[in-house]
């Protein structure tokens, strides 16, 4: 039997702090959320290792460092309304729920959305709302969002997501081709839209109207 709290503490030191994750709230959240409960039982002893893991339907739960990095980029203080595209296992949504006021998360594959919703309910998260839909369209009824995080690789930045970003809001999205992407930060500032390239990443495809074709 693995000591999961110890595994989490090691993950934080060896994978996150050592690579420059500094936001104490992000580190605390990642030290708290039981990542092993978001993967198949057979993979639980690998849940805190330094790589992504399969979650079924050809999808993956991201490497812990990438979750921490993208979360830190959102600069959450606790009052925000956040939108996540690509619920997957639900792990990233749980981390966000520790750090923001409310989290809206969209998944296109019903079986994944259902499983994620079950574990999030079981863990007692009351500030997360899940939905099965094409997340490239955003969530117009709940817009605007202070933070938007896309956890699948996109060929371009979906215009609906830019439109649904609040003033001073931050959108983080991997953009590129099927094999590799650049992490792009999009900020809505007084003067308009500001984009910053934050370096290379590798994600499964964002599939949808503003994403890749199925
Ligand atoms: N954030 C997840 C990992 C996501 S993997 C976690 O913490 O486990 C990427 C997910 O994005 C996959 O589950 C995939 O089905 C989903 N996805 C891809 N295109 C999508 C779209 N247009 N709308 C919603 N979800 C999408």
């Amino acid at each position: 039997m693995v000591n999961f709290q110890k595994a989490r503490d090691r993950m934080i030191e060896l994978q996150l702090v050592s690579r420059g994750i500094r936001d104490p709230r992000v580190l605390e959240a990642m030290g708290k959320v039981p990542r092993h409960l978001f993967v198949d039982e057979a993979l639980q002893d690998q849940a805190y290792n330094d790589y992504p893991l399969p979650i079924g339907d050809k999808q993956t739960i991201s490497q812990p460092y990438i979750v921490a990095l993208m979360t830190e980029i959102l600069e959450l203080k606790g009052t925000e309304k956040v939108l996540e595209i690509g619920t997957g296992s639900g792990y990233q949504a749980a981390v966000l729920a520790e750090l923001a006021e409310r989290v809206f998360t969209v998944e296109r594959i019903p079986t994944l959305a259902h499983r994620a919703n079950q574990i999030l309910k079981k863990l007692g998260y009351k500030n997360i709302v899940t939905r099965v839909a094409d997340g490239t369209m955003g969530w117009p009824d709940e817009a605007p969002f202070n933070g938007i995080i896309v956890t699948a690789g996109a060929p371009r930045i979906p215009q609906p997501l830019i439109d649904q970003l609040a003033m001073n809001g931050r959108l983080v999205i991997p953009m590129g081709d099927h094999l590799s992407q650049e992490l792009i930060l999009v900020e809505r500032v007084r003067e308009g839209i500001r984009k910053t390239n934050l370096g290379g990443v590798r994600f499964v495809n964002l599939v949808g109207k503003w994403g890749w074709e199925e």
Side-chain angles (χ1 to χ4, degrees):
M1 184 69 190
V2 186
N3 180 335
F4 290 116
Q5 183 60 58
K6 206 168 152 198
R8 272 199 293 282
D9 293 345
R10 277 176 58 84
M11 169 188 86
I12 283 163
E13 283 311 314
L14 300 179
Q15 301 172 37
L16 310 187
V17 174
S18 68
R19 291 198 183 103
I21 302 297
R22 289 281 173 270
D23 185 335
R25 296 182 72 242
V26 173
L27 296 172
E28 193 186 333
M30 300 229 5
K32 186 171 164 198
V33 178
R35 179 174 163 95
H36 61 284
L37 298 182
F38 292 86
V39 301
D40 192 86
E41 229 175 309
L43 297 172
Q44 284 193 352
D45 57 355
Q46 295 180 63
Y48 300 97
N49 292 357
D50 197 13
Y51 45 78
L53 289 170
I55 55 171
D57 289 288
K58 297 192 196 128
Q59 308 303 322
T60 55
I61 178 174
S62 303
Q63 177 190 11
Y65 171 66
I66 295 297
V67 173
L69 179 65
M70 291 176 79
T71 305
E72 188 172 67
I73 289 167
L74 292 179
E75 295 183 355
L76 300 172
K77 304 283 179 273
T79 57
E80 297 83 359
K81 196 171 176 180
V82 176
L83 174 67
E84 179 194 24
I85 312 305
T87 313
S89 68
Y91 174 68
Q92 172 78 72
V95 172
L96 293 169
E98 296 284 343
L99 297 166
E101 189 167 288
R102 284 203 288 165
V103 178
F104 296 82
T105 181
V106 188
E107 170 58 53
R108 63 180 283 272
I109 301 177
T111 49
L112 292 178
H114 180 68
R115 209 191 307 145
N117 192 43
Q118 275 186 325
I119 175 70
L120 291 168
K121 285 271 148 358
K122 200 168 158 193
L123 290 174
Y125 286 101
K126 296 198 174 21
N127 58 343
I128 304 175
V129 188
T130 59
R131 164 189 264 189
V132 178
D134 173 8
T136 68
M137 304 303 289
W139 195 318
D141 295 351
E142 291 293 347
F145 299 96
N146 311 106
I148 302 180
I149 177 171
V150 181
T151 63
R156 59 180 171 280
I157 302 171
Q159 187 61 42
L161 300 186
I162 296 177
D163 295 342
Q164 291 171 34
L165 201 52
M167 182 54 72
N168 298 318
R170 298 164 79 80
L171 156 65
V172 60
I173 178 167
M175 190 178 73
D177 59 31
H178 291 286
L179 291 180
S180 68
Q181 305 89 31
E182 309 281 330
L183 210 50
I184 309 292
L185 167 65
V186 181
E187 295 165 277
R188 180 176 295 283
V189 292
R190 200 174 293 280
E191 302 73 36
I193 291 296
R194 183 161 66 208
K195 291 183 193 153
T196 314
N197 186 334
L198 299 169
V201 286
R202 219 186 145 156
F203 276 85
V204 296
N205 289 340
L206 182 73
V207 177
K209 182 149 188 263
W210 289 84
W212 299 99
E213 275 181 40
E214 208 164 327

